[in-house]
Amino acid sequence: MKTLKHYSAFAILLLFLSCNVSPQPINYGSDGCAFCKMTIVDKVHAAEIVTKKGKVYKFDATECMINYMKDFNTSEIELYLSNNYTEPEVLIDATEATFLISENIPSPMGAFLSAFESKVDAEKFKAEKGGELYTWEELVTKLNN
């Protein structure tokens, strides 16, 4: 009976660990983009999707993440994450971010797209660099048209 309890506890622990839905750190210089297959090196433009089952897809740019979503069942996605432009390597909730498209801020795939956790920071960079601000929904619509 003790053996059965041990196996049950181990199975529950394994199930819990296998369904961990959380961001994973991006290994810059070695992880590849799930969409374009390029090596992820830019620490201010990378992005990541985490599914409801905990599977992680990494991207070298937010535009790659949005393009990848065209061939993906988006109902399976739990987290959309983008690097915060003002804090290299820090992933933020893309659905709450403010995005700036400015030709004066190059991004890896040429969309000139940067994500900001703070709308105030996005407006500050827009005033300095020019461009247009977008919410997540506006950005997805723009890039899918």
Side-chain angles (χ1 to χ4, degrees):
M1 194 60 152
K2 280 188 172 183
T3 304
L4 182 59
K5 284 183 181 179
H6 288 119
Y7 281 122
S8 297
F10 180 72
I12 291 170
L13 178 64
L14 191 61
L15 181 65
F16 175 74
L17 293 175
S18 66
C19 295
N20 186 11
V21 179
S22 62
Q24 283 184 2
I26 295 172
N27 297 313
Y28 298 93
S30 63
D31 283 344
C33 176
F35 180 71
C36 72
K37 310 300 181 205
M38 292 177 62
T39 301
I40 303 170
V41 294
D42 188 326
K43 297 179 179 180
V44 295
H45 289 104
E48 188 172 293
I49 287 174
V50 182
T51 69
K52 292 179 179 173
K53 292 183 178 178
K55 185 165 175 119
V56 174
Y57 297 89
K58 300 174 183 177
F59 306 93
D60 63 347
T62 299
E63 56 263 39
C64 281
M65 177 171 66
I66 292 172
N67 286 324
Y68 190 78
M69 290 165 40
K70 293 175 185 173
D71 297 324
F72 199 86
N73 182 358
T74 55
S75 67
E76 296 176 14
I77 299 172
E78 181 70 22
L79 300 171
Y80 296 92
L81 305 159
S82 292
N83 276 140
N84 185 9
Y85 185 77
T86 60
E87 295 179 86
E89 300 187 38
V90 174
L91 290 165
I92 58 173
D93 181 349
T95 64
E96 300 293 323
T98 301
F99 295 90
L100 173 63
I101 296 179
S102 171
E103 292 187 9
N104 296 313
I105 304 175
S107 61
M109 298 308 293
F112 303 98
L113 172 61
S114 302
F116 295 85
E117 185 172 35
S118 159
K119 187 173 183 178
V120 172
D121 286 342
E123 289 171 340
K124 180 179 134 195
F125 275 88
K126 178 186 174 194
E128 292 174 11
K129 305 286 186 177
E132 295 294 325
L133 297 178
Y134 298 88
T135 64
W136 171 251
E137 292 82 15
E138 292 168 338
L139 182 67
V140 170
T141 299
K142 177 176 177 59
L143 295 181
N144 284 326
N145 289 327

